[in-house]
Amino acid sequence: MPDPMRPRAALRTAVVWDVLRDALERRVEATGRQALDVLDTGGGSGNFAVPLARLGHRVTVVDPSPNALFALERRAAEEGVADRVRGVQGDARGLFDVAERGGYDVVLCHGVLEYVDDPAEGVRNTVAALRPGGVLSLLAAGLGGAVLARALAGHFTEARQALGDPNGRWGDGDPVPRRFTADQLTALVRGAGLEAVAVHGVRVFSDLVPGVLVDTEPGAMEALLKLEAAAAELAAFHSVATQLHVLGEAGGTDGA
């Protein structure tokens, strides 16, 4: 999969794209279909959906924001993939009011669980959208990354607050309603009946490194990308990642 993001933005998503690329290739090989059906819950303006459509896949984006869906439609048209991208207004709780149950080879659930009332229900709904043998890409905010960031900024009381808070929040001003550990996310995936086949830390270093260093030091961007990739699979770094990515696979086969 060609890198769909600008270099600076790629720091935030490169690990996810690498994992997702491999998963898509496995599903194409398993199904014998070059064009997969992908559901992107909370997909917003299409940061993942449009590049996936450029690869030839059919993508349905479910998002509660009309403005995001308008931006998605415009972006898909500009990229020449409007025929392969469909945006519908909805959320994880009422997913099957707007999406097909059991109708997708791959489901993306990125940045959704932080905001739903019941994360377990949210994961169960996304899993119910999968075909047999389908793949779930789950991305959510990591607790450890937030604690580390607050501590490094000198906000030690807030860092301790996040550690002890059941939702991983550092205070009333925290814009993220909920954060997770790797164990919590894998438990949600397994509880919904999937096998958690891979766990990766995302943005282990990139949120902590001064932007001016990355932008001005020759070779720093490429070196940081390689460092992120090398650390992503190591469990020791999951506890300090800004985000956590879990890849889940459903049992059964679907060669249709």
Side-chain angles (χ1 to χ4, degrees), residues 202-222:
V202 180
R203 291 157 57 190
V204 175
F205 306 103
S206 59
D207 287 358
L208 304 176
V209 175
V212 64
L213 188 156
V214 177
D215 294 334
T216 61
E217 189 73 18
M221 178 77 69
E222 183 179 356

Side-chain angles (χ1 to χ4, degrees), residues 14-15 18 200-201 204-205 223-234:
V15 168
D18 286 345
H200 291 83
V204 175
F205 306 103
L224 183 53
L225 283 167
K226 290 180 179 179
L227 178 61
E228 288 279 1
E233 294 188 52
L234 301 178

Side-chain angles (χ1 to χ4, degrees), residues 102-197:
Y104 304 91
D105 301 289
V106 179
V107 174
L108 277 56
C109 183
H110 295 174
V112 173
L113 293 190
E114 297 93 327
Y115 301 95
V116 298
D117 293 332
D118 185 345
E121 179 188 42
V123 175
R124 287 195 299 269
N125 279 351
T126 58
V127 169
L130 286 172
R131 290 172 174 154
V135 173
L136 171 66
S137 174
L138 179 63
L139 182 68
L143 170 62
V147 173
L148 183 61
R150 299 315 290 173
L152 290 178
H155 303 300
F156 307 121
T157 300
E158 291 179 350
R160 185 176 178 183
Q161 168 71 17
L163 272 177
D165 186 84
N167 291 320
R169 290 171 54 81
W170 47 255
D172 292 339
D174 192 336
V176 179
R178 186 183 292 108
R179 295 183 177 89
F180 301 87
T181 65
D183 287 344
Q184 288 172 332
L185 287 179
T186 54
L188 288 172
V189 169
R190 290 167 180 157
L194 298 188
E195 179 184 359
V197 297

